[in-house]
Amino acid sequence: MNYENSFEFAQGMDAADPLAKYRAQFHIPQHGGKDCVYFCGNSLGLQPVTAAAAIGQELEDWKNLGVEGHFKGKNPWKDYHEFLAAQLAHIVGAKPVEVVAMNNLTVNLHLLMVSFYRPTAMRHKIIIEQGAFPSDQYAVKSQIAFHGFDPATSLVELKTGDDIAPLIDGSVALILLGGVNYYTGELFDLEKITRLGHAKGCIVGFDLAHAVGNALLKLHDWDVDFAAWCSYKYLNGGPGAVAGAFVHERFANDGTLPRFAGWWGHDKENRFKMGPDFKPIPGAEGWQLSNPSIFGLAPLKASLDIFYEAKMENLRRKSEALTGYLAFLLRDKATIMTPVDPARRGCQLSIRAKSKKVFDALTTGGVVCDWREPDCVRVAPTPLYNTFSDVYRFAKIFTEVPL
Ligand SMILES: *Cc1c(COP(=O)(O)O)cnc(C)c1O
């Protein structure tokens, strides 16, 4: 793409953008009476305009129907999570039977490790990436300790920039990487890592918190064993939104996997017969424990419907151009930690700032982004609601702030 460093060029790109109409489907926070440049979709995505009505509908059914809303609501609550399955399957490249919206991310990581981390004296290690999100480190270490192993010997860290292949051997039980590292913004080659892991008999799972709704995923075709993600970042489900999980179809009817069970994972036909013996629903739904928060699912569904209409392929095409424009405007002017090759990143760039003054100038200028000590500004132009003009405004402040 032949980019130009001018506001007219950015406006021209916006005018030609087939996805530009989706911006109006989100509430954009204001700064001094004007739209912010909101580059924090990697932390908390913006509110879809349809979210309030989606929650309102369920409040209305609760008001008018009470408990009957489970069966007679406009969107019967007993089935509500199923209304999100096709959309989630599209977003992560899965079959509907392989995905479910439930719980929160760290909870799902634990539940899936109960099934997929079965260490033995020979094979007990977990590989995670260096600088993994703290919650993932805590979860993985506590699982290792729970099974009577020592994180000092059972936890292996993949160093940033290193090849994973030499780390994978018969002592590795599980590879559990972030799809996109939250700090560096690096996107891992999930297909290749899955293939390498399976060749050595390892289970391969991914934490997709920063990849879902961002990178193009094909979890089914790549043969990934399991994955989990949160829904409040790129998926715009709202603070603490109901998270998601993927379990490959190969395990849909696998009765040998241990799991922690609850009534919402039990065979739907007989759930309300309240019998004593657990019979899991085939597929990812069988990992559910509790009936989900309907007020949590409603705004998430509102957002997923937008993704489903816009389509991930189109969003990713725009995303590559949008972040590519940012990298172009910053070239020779800033150090970018994130690999700029689109195959190795999502929409986020992690940029080194010469001083925190840069971040302060951005904030004063109406840019919402993220500062990480000692010198990192993380920015995530998202294709659903950000524009090339946003990118231009950001880069102008970033490169022109007097230091
Ligand atoms: C955001 C994020 C989390 C947050 O976990 P919750 O259980 O949703 O609070 C965990 N892991 C990663 C990699 C994240 O990016």
Side-chain angles (χ1 to χ4, degrees):
M1 176 128 13
N2 288 321
Y3 294 120
E4 285 171 31
N5 186 355
S6 78
F7 192 54
E8 292 66 39
F9 175 82
Q11 285 180 309
M13 291 293 287
D14 290 333
D17 171 13
L19 301 179
K21 63 179 179 187
Y22 289 107
R23 179 175 170 88
Q25 297 190 25
F26 291 87
H27 292 292
I28 313 287
Q30 300 293 296
H31 177 88
K34 288 202 325 213
D35 287 354
C36 282
V37 173
Y38 192 82
F39 279 174
C40 250
N42 55 349
S43 226
L44 185 74
L46 292 180
Q47 183 184 136
V49 171
T50 45
I55 298 172
Q57 174 66 48
E58 305 316 321
L59 281 169
E60 201 56 27
D61 282 351
W62 181 26
K63 182 170 91 186
N64 296 321
L65 299 169
V67 70
E68 301 256 85
H70 277 293
F71 300 93
K72 296 187 181 158
K74 177 160 181 268
N75 314 301
W77 302 328
K78 73 173 174 48
D79 303 324
Y80 204 104
H81 64 277
E82 296 171 28
F83 308 147
L84 288 70
Q87 296 90 321
L88 281 176
H90 165 70
I91 290 169
V92 300
K95 299 185 174 182
V97 68
E98 295 175 316
V99 293
V100 66
M102 62 177 187
N103 311 315
N104 278 75
L105 169 54
T106 310
V107 175
N108 288 343
L109 286 175
H110 276 298
L111 290 176
L112 290 165
M113 278 192 276
V114 164
S115 299
F116 291 104
Y117 176 55
R118 309 290 303 155
T120 63
M122 289 290 290
R123 195 188 271 281
H124 54 91
K125 291 182 185 161
I126 303 182
I127 301 179
I128 63 171
E129 86 260 31
Q130 181 186 34
F133 195 89
S135 197
D136 300 43
Q137 298 188 43
Y138 309 151
V140 162
K141 284 183 191 166
S142 65
Q143 284 280 338
I144 290 171
F146 175 75
H147 286 283
F149 291 85
D150 181 357
T153 44
S154 294
L155 186 65
V156 180
E157 282 197 356
L158 168 64
K159 299 228 163 28
T160 308
D162 275 8
D163 182 11
I164 193 171
L167 299 182
I168 307 175
D169 60 30
S171 69
V172 175
L174 170 65
I175 299 170
L176 183 59
L177 300 183
V180 171
N181 181 269
Y182 80 100
Y183 186 79
T184 64
E186 177 178 4
L187 167 65
F188 289 102
D189 186 338
L190 307 188
E191 180 179 22
K192 183 173 156 203
I193 291 168
T194 307
R195 196 170 354 101
L196 290 171
H198 284 174
K200 295 280 161 100
C202 314
I203 291 278
V204 184
F206 295 109
D207 180 332
L208 300 176
H210 282 262
V212 70
N214 177 17
L216 266 189
L217 302 168
K218 294 195 163 36
L219 299 185
H220 176 85
D221 290 351
W222 296 342
D223 212 26
V224 171
D225 294 303
F226 72 90
W229 56 88
C230 53
S231 305
Y232 46 83
K233 294 171 181 166
Y234 296 108
L235 292 187
N236 314 310
V242 179
F246 164 91
V247 178
H248 197 280
E249 195 182 29
R250 284 181 282 114
F251 303 108
N253 290 299
D254 186 340
T256 67
L257 282 177
R259 74 174 101 194
F260 287 170
W263 76 316
W264 225 251
H266 180 78
D267 171 33
K268 280 174 231 178
E269 298 299 308
N270 298 307
R271 181 187 289 147
F272 292 97
K273 290 194 181 138
M274 306 296 201
D277 295 320
F278 179 70
K279 182 176 163 222
I281 305 170
E285 275 185 85
W287 269 264
Q288 296 173 105
L289 299 183
S290 302
N291 75 104
S293 158
I294 301 301
F295 301 127
L297 287 174
L300 177 59
K301 178 174 186 306
S303 177
L304 297 186
D305 286 344
I306 301 172
F307 276 91
Y308 201 53
E309 187 191 294
K311 293 281 174 284
M312 277 309 298
E313 291 75 11
N314 301 326
L315 289 165
R316 178 63 187 174
R317 197 176 310 119
K318 173 174 170 185
S319 175
E320 289 186 6
L322 198 61
T323 298
Y325 188 44
L326 179 58
F328 166 81
L329 293 175
L330 296 176
R331 77 199 183 293
D332 311 328
K333 294 184 183 130
T335 307
I336 300 173
M337 265 180 257
T338 313
V340 283
D341 174 5
R344 296 190 50 215
R345 61 160 169 81
C347 72
Q348 171 185 328
L349 292 185
S350 306
I351 311 160
R352 286 197 202 285
K354 293 209 177 73
S355 138
K356 184 139 193 241
K357 278 191 202 153
V358 177
F359 180 72
D360 297 337
L362 288 165
T363 307
T364 315
V367 177
V368 182
C369 59
D370 174 274
W371 172 261
R372 295 276 151 155
E373 295 294 346
D375 63 353
C376 176
V377 176
R378 295 188 310 156
V379 284
T382 69
L384 265 180
Y385 49 75
N386 284 125
T387 62
F388 289 84
S389 306
D390 283 344
V391 169
Y392 183 84
R393 272 176 68 191
F394 168 86
K396 193 161 171 60
I397 301 174
F398 189 97
T399 57
E400 292 182 3
V401 56
L403 293 176

